[in-house]
Amino acid sequence: MDAFALLVGGILPYLTVVVFLVGMGYRFRAWFKAPQPGKMTLFPAPDSTAGGVLAETLFFPSLFKGDKVLWSFAWIFHATLALVFLGHIRVFTGLVDRILMAVGMSADNIGVMSATAGGVAGVVLLGTGLLLLIRRLTIQRVREISRVPDFFALLLLIAIIGTGDLMRFGPHFDLEQTRVWARSLLAFSPDVPRNGLFLVHALFAMLLIIYVPFSKILHFGGIFFTQTLVKRS
Amino acid sequence: MAQDTAHVGAGPATKRPEVVRAKESPVVDPEQVIRAITAIDGGPRVLKLYMEMCARCGTCASQCPVYYGKAEKKYNPVERSDLIRDIYKKHCTTTGKLLGALVGARDYRDGELEAWAEHFYTCTGCRRCATYCPMGIDNSVIARKGRAILEAAGMTPDTMQKVVRISLETGNTDGASPEAFKAAIEFLEEEMKEEHGVDIKIPVDVVGADYFYVPPSGDVLVNPEATTGVAKVFYALGLQDRWTMSSHYFDGANYGLFTGNDADMKADNKPYVEEAKRLGCKVLFMGECGHAYRIMKMMMEPARWWGDLPFTIMNCMEFTAEQIKAGKLQFDKSKNPQPVTYHDPCNFGRSCDIVEEPRIILKASCQDFREMYPNRGENWCCGGGGGLSAMDDIHEFRMTVSGVKKMEQVRATGAKYVAAACSNCKRQLAQLMEYYKEDIAVGGVHDMLSRSILINGKAAKRVDYT
Ligand code: HEM
Ligand code: SF4
Ligand code: SF4
C-alpha cells in the first residue's frame, strides 16, 4: 500500500472523525455556556417555535425576502447538497440497495436511477457552487468583504464536487470498493481503494469535514441559537 | 428654547450648532480595548455567534440604508462589524490564532479608536440588516459594542456625550427646568382653549392619576401638537383628571442606548420608574418616541431591571387606536385634506411591533392616507437612527448617505405630510425636506389627530398649520 493511499484511506478518516466530533462538541458547548441576558426580539418576529426554526432552516425565508437571486442559488445548493449526502449512504453501505431490491427493484434499475439522480445532483451542485463563486467575484458588495476563507470554502467544495462528478461521469467506479473500505475502517484494518481520483475526492472531503468546526461553514449550527433569540416575548 | 437640543423638530430653518471636538484625544489603553473584545467569548451569546457565523454573503449591505446611500466599502455592514470581529478572531478562535491574517484575524492597532468613532457612528442601528440576514445577524448590536468601547475610552463623539450629560443632570435631554416645562404646558393649555373654547387640561404632578404620560421632551417643547393630541383624547373620553405628566420627568429619550453605556441607560431610566411609583400610576403611558418605548417595554420590563413593577407599560398610540376602534372618538377629516404618509420608526416597527396603531389613528383623522413602501417591519430607516439624528457634525452624511433612501420613499408617496412617531425621525426627516427643498411637512401622529378630533362636536378652529 503506497503512502498516499494509506494516509488518505487509512489514517485521515480516523483523524477526521475525532477532530470533527471534538471540534463540534467544543463549539456547541461554548455556545450553550455563553449567557444571553435578554431576547433580541425583531418584528415581524420570525416564529421561533420548533416549527418556525425548522422552516427557517429548510427554506431560508429571511434570505428569500432579502436577496432572491442569492436565495435561489443558496437554496438549490443546499437542497442538492442534502440529497447528495443521502446518496452517499449508498456509497458506503449496500443496505439501501438491499432494501430497494426487497421492494422489487432490479440491480440494473437501481443503477440507472442512481446514475440519473446522482448525475443531475452532481451537475446542479457544481453549477450552483460555481454561481456562488462567480457571485462572490463579480458583485461589488460581496467581493469587497470576501477573503481567503470565503474562497477557500467554495473552492474546496467545488473541488470535491468536481472530482465526484468525474468519477460519476468518467470510467466506471465500482461502489463495492467504498463499501469494503467503510467496513474495513469500522474493523480498524483499513482496506483502501487504489483509485487515484477517488483518493483525491476523499482527501478533499475529509479536509472540508475537518474544517467545518473551525469555520463559518458551521453557520448551520449557530442559526438555531440566533433564531430562538428573536422570538416574541 | 429649541436651539441647542437633541430634538429640534419640524420647524423650518434648523439651527446647526458649531461642532466642538475634543482637541486632544484621551490616552487609550490597547489592553482595555482587547479585553472588552475578548470578553465576548463568554457571552452574551448572540454577540458571540455574530463573531463566528457570518456567511459573508452581502445580503445585509443590500438592505442597509447607509450602504444604499453610498456603496462604499467602509459603509458595508460586514466591513464595520469586522473592526471588532477581526480582533476577536485573533484572540478567540482557533483559525485566527493559528493562521492570523490569512483568515482576516488581526490585533488592535494603536490609535485606531479615532477611526472607530467615525465608523460606529455611521450605523443607524435600524436593524434592517438583521431582518434579512440568513443567519439573523444584527450588525447594530456589534456597532453598539463598538460604541461601548469608545465610551469606555472617553471617545464618544461630543454631540452624543453632551446629550447624555444633560439628560442625567436635568432628567431630560433638552435640559429644561421644571419651571420652563410648566410654562410650556400653560402655553399649550391656552392654545387648546383658543382652538376649542373649552379648558382642556394637561395635569402635572398629580399623585394618584392612572396614566403617567412620558413623551420625548420635544413633544412638549418643540412639536407640542402630539401632546395636545393626547390631552384632547383624554378630554374627549372624560378622563381629563385621570392622567398626569411630571414636571421633573417628561422625557423618555435615553441616549445611553446610543452610546452603548448600559450604566447610563439604566441611570437615565430609573428616575422614570421611581416617578411612576411615586405618582402611584397604573399605566406608564409612553409617548411618540420609539427608543424610549423600546427601552421600557422590550428591555427594562422583561429583564426586570428594577424588579416587579406596580404598573403596566403602554404606548399612547395603542391606547388611542383602541378608543378609535371602540368608536369612542370622532373626527372631522376635512381638517386634514392633504395626502399624509406614515414613516415607521425602526424602534417602533422592527423592535416593538407598534405598526397598526399609528395607521388606525392617521386613517381616522386624515382624508388621504398613503402607505410608503416597503413599510412596517420592513421600512427603511430615516437615516438618523441610533442617535445620529442629534449629531449636527454628521449632517452632510445624514443628508447625502443615510437619508437618501428615505427621501426617495417619501417622494414616491406624493404625500405633503410625513408623520413619524419619533422625535429623532422627525428631526432627520425635517432636515431632509429642507436639504432637498421639498415642500413636505413633518410631524407626529397625534398631531394629525389634534387637528381633526371633535371636542364637544367641533374640531379645532385653527386651520392653517404651516
Ligand atoms: C440552516 C440554514 C442554512 C442557511 C440559512 C444557510 C445559508 C448559506 C448561505 C447564504 C451560503 C452562501 C455563502 C456564500 O455566499 O458563499 C451558504 C453556503 C454553504 N452552506 Fe449553508 N446554510 C444553511 C445550512 C447549511 C447546512 C445544514 C449545511 C451542511 C453541512 C451547509 C453547508 C454549506 C456549505 C458547505 C456552503 C458553502 C461554503 C460557504 O460559503 O460557507 N449549510 N449557506
Ligand atoms: S447578511 Fe448576515 S451572513 Fe450575510 S454577510 Fe451580512 S451579516 Fe453576514
Ligand atoms: S443596523 Fe441598519 S444602518 Fe446598521 S448596518 Fe444594519 S442595516 Fe445598516
Side-chain angles (χ1 to χ4, degrees), chain B residues 173-217:
Chain B
T173 48
D174 279 324
S177 66
E179 291 69 37
F181 169 79
K182 283 183 191 155
I185 292 297
E186 263 169 46
F187 173 73
L188 295 184
E189 288 178 336
E190 279 163 28
E191 277 220 336
M192 289 192 284
K193 173 107 185 174
E194 267 173 45
E195 288 180 339
H196 293 279
V198 290
D199 283 319
I200 300 172
K201 291 262 158 272
I202 299 179
V204 174
D205 295 332
V206 178
V207 176
D210 292 341
Y211 301 88
F212 169 30
Y213 174 56
V214 178
S217 52

Side-chain angles (χ1 to χ4, degrees), chain B residues 230-464:
Chain B
V230 167
K232 292 180 193 180
V233 168
F234 280 118
Y235 183 90
L237 294 168
L239 298 174
Q240 165 103 293
D241 39 51
R242 304 281 294 282
W243 71 293
T244 189
M245 292 188 72
S246 158
S247 60
H248 284 84
Y249 301 102
F250 48 87
D251 183 18
N254 188 336
Y255 277 53
L257 178 68
F258 303 142
T259 59
N261 188 326
D262 289 339
D264 279 356
M265 181 164 67
K266 289 182 181 173
D268 197 324
N269 178 268
K270 193 171 187 185
Y272 283 84
V273 172
E274 289 188 341
E275 182 74 346
K277 288 180 182 167
R278 190 184 71 82
L279 293 169
C281 72
K282 294 199 182 90
V283 180
L284 178 54
F285 196 71
M286 302 299 292
E288 294 189 16
C289 176
H291 81 276
Y293 180 66
R294 176 180 171 199
I295 292 173
M296 289 290 183
K297 189 73 187 178
M298 307 304 285
M299 302 165 96
M300 180 276 282
E301 189 181 37
R304 301 173 49 83
W305 290 355
W306 321 115
D308 284 330
L309 302 175
F311 52 81
T312 58
I313 299 166
M314 185 184 212
N315 190 264
C316 65
M317 295 187 289
E318 294 177 276
F319 179 77
T320 303
E322 260 173 42
Q323 308 307 321
I324 292 174
K325 279 195 285 188
K328 292 189 187 158
L329 302 172
Q330 272 71 46
F331 299 89
D332 177 2
K333 288 187 186 194
S334 70
K335 294 284 176 184
N336 291 317
Q338 76 276 44
V340 171
T341 190
Y342 180 63
H343 159 76
D344 283 280
C346 304
N347 277 317
F348 267 126
R350 265 184 289 283
S351 286
C352 297
D353 206 26
I354 300 283
V355 291
E356 301 310 329
E357 294 83 351
R359 288 175 169 79
I360 290 170
I361 300 170
L362 289 172
K363 283 177 188 163
S365 37
C366 308
Q367 245 165 9
D368 180 1
F369 176 77
R370 304 177 176 187
E371 278 297 353
M372 182 187 299
Y373 295 97
N375 51 52
R376 297 177 167 82
E378 296 186 12
N379 190 33
W380 288 86
C381 174
C382 64
L388 302 196
S389 175
M391 296 173 70
D392 286 303
D393 42 346
I394 57 166
H395 177 266
E396 193 68 16
F397 165 83
R398 290 191 279 110
M399 298 299 111
T400 60
V401 181
S402 63
V404 169
K405 181 70 196 189
K406 188 85 263 164
M407 195 60 243
E408 291 175 10
Q409 259 191 309
V410 172
R411 272 200 199 105
T413 63
K416 285 287 157 208
Y417 180 98
V418 192
C422 170
S423 283
N424 284 337
C425 297
K426 281 188 278 194
R427 182 172 204 254
Q428 163 78 0
L429 287 166
Q431 291 183 344
L432 278 173
M433 299 314 142
E434 192 191 336
Y435 188 91
Y436 290 103
K437 305 201 169 28
E438 291 285 349
D439 184 23
I440 302 172
V442 176
V445 174
H446 277 85
D447 306 42
M448 288 283 100
L449 172 143
S450 181
R451 298 175 192 186
S452 62
I453 189 170
L454 302 186
I455 299 288
N456 301 332
K458 283 203 302 280
K461 249 198 297 201
R462 194 162 51 150
V463 252
D464 183 19

